[in-house]
Amino acid sequence: MSSLYDHISASRRLDSLTASRLTDLARAAAGEAKLEVASWDVEPVHGGFGSAVGGTSLYRFKIRTASKETISLVLKILYERRGEEARSPYYWKREYEIYRSSILAELPANSFSTPRIFDLQDFGDSCWIWMEDIEDIKGAWTLSDFGDIAQRLGRFNGAWMTAKPLPDFDWLTANWHSAIVPALAPAFHDLDSLLESPLARTALPYKAKDEIAAIWNDRHLFQKALRQLPRALCHTDAFRRNILRRKHDVALLDWALASIGGIGEELVCLVAVSLYYEGFSAEFADQLDKTVFAGYIEGLRQAGWAGDAKLARIGYTCAMVLRGLAGVKQDLELLEDEANYELLFRTHHTTNLTEIARLFADVRSFRLLKMAREASRLLSA
């Protein structure tokens, strides 16, 4: 884990930023070599649960120039977690490394752009990424928007299955959804104790416990299936908060979970996280699922991939199951720890913990139970 010392060190570096340093960054952002900084303000940007997992801080700098212009920059700080292997699924330095590499220099046509990066700094105990502050011009998404993003993900993945050589860096995880599974073992071993509280039993009713335990016991079948699929570079964390629409393109942010994965794995986050946070209740899950999967296959075809769509469905459902198993642990631990409640209330727009627990149960019925049944049918066919 990152230490308090690392955060204190980063705070001191923030406090020591000079007008000269911010002038260089503002000039790079504005493309004006003679720009002069007059003053600046900095404020923290709050993330969601992912930011807690990733060990990051975000700051927005509002820089005012001598000519009364305002330039906005974002600083993302990644904190070292000592002893963490480069191929671990949550490797702390991955996003810094991917921006430093050439992987994202030329993304497939009509897929995504990335934020402009103005500087990268490695301090040993942390890495700093100075990037453009992108304003999203899109409000709430419709099903059509989800279909469009799924097509873009298909074109993005498809390029690495048809034309681009797969990157080979020691900081890129292979099989991300499989890699997160070993750390779940203690939670499933102690599932009965996790279900002692009424809230936990609402989020994971006893009637579902045996089926979920059976899915856990079959996890190796889903992991094996994913290893045998066509491979692609995956973002692995493509959902609403990380996808911003501009006038002329769509920017994809937060590459901390980038990995080499199987066809179809890319869709998991887009669907699963949307059921939690984007107002798509479980009753609309099937419609969202069909729209996203159809769009993804269309994008793959546009990229020139002519394989069997069943392979993508296997990848999608098997990966959804593994991420759904991780969701069991996450949901129960979120409800158990009062320190999480403020963020839960803000995220789900309610202070009713029982209502949140019921949402978790509804989502689990689709993303884990229903997906596991379908994945099992596909693998046995």
Side-chain angles (χ1 to χ4, degrees), residues 141-143 146 270-272 274-276 278-292 316 359 362-363 365-367 370-371:
W141 284 9
T142 64
L143 278 175
F146 277 94
L270 184 62
V271 174
S274 298
L275 294 175
Y276 274 107
E278 298 303 326
F280 283 87
S281 59
E283 61 186 295
F284 293 107
D286 288 332
Q287 190 176 5
L288 178 63
D289 171 25
K290 291 175 183 176
T291 298
V292 165
Y316 167 54
L359 168 66
D362 287 343
V363 172
S365 69
F366 175 83
R367 73 177 291 201
K370 186 171 182 177
M371 287 287 105

Side-chain angles (χ1 to χ4, degrees), residues 95-106:
E95 188 168 20
Y96 168 86
E97 295 289 4
I98 201 167
Y99 282 130
R100 201 164 67 97
S101 74
S102 60
I103 296 177
L104 306 181
E106 193 172 331

Side-chain angles (χ1 to χ4, degrees), residues 145-155 267 270 291-292 295-296:
D145 292 314
F146 277 94
D148 173 68
I149 296 301
Q151 274 196 37
R152 291 174 183 272
L153 290 171
R155 290 191 288 269
L267 295 181
L270 184 62
T291 298
V292 165
Y296 182 69

Side-chain angles (χ1 to χ4, degrees), residues 58-77:
L58 280 173
Y59 297 92
R60 176 173 286 111
F61 282 74
K62 293 289 187 179
I63 302 171
R64 288 177 291 278
T65 71
S67 58
K68 309 300 184 183
E69 296 174 288
T70 299
I71 297 170
S72 183
L73 303 177
V74 169
L75 169 62
K76 186 169 189 177
I77 302 178

Side-chain angles (χ1 to χ4, degrees), residues 92-93 96-97 100 120-128:
W92 74 276
K93 203 175 182 179
Y96 168 86
E97 295 289 4
R100 201 164 67 97
L120 296 164
Q121 297 171 279
D122 186 349
F123 294 103
D125 59 0
S126 65
C127 289
W128 288 24

Side-chain angles (χ1 to χ4, degrees), residues 183-202:
L184 306 178
F188 282 92
H189 183 265
D190 296 329
L191 195 56
D192 286 334
S193 63
L194 286 174
L195 291 174
E196 288 178 356
S197 77
L199 275 176
R201 289 194 296 274
T202 300

Side-chain angles (χ1 to χ4, degrees), residues 17-27 37 40:
L17 285 169
T18 64
S20 175
R21 173 68 176 136
L22 289 173
T23 295
D24 289 340
L25 291 164
R27 286 175 175 176
V37 168
W40 66 88

Side-chain angles (χ1 to χ4, degrees), residues 224-244:
K224 179 181 178 181
L226 290 176
R227 289 195 299 270
Q228 297 173 343
L229 294 171
R231 321 300 291 157
L233 176 67
C234 297
H235 179 278
T236 321
D237 203 19
F239 70 103
R240 178 67 182 90
R241 194 185 69 204
N242 290 336
I243 301 171
L244 305 181

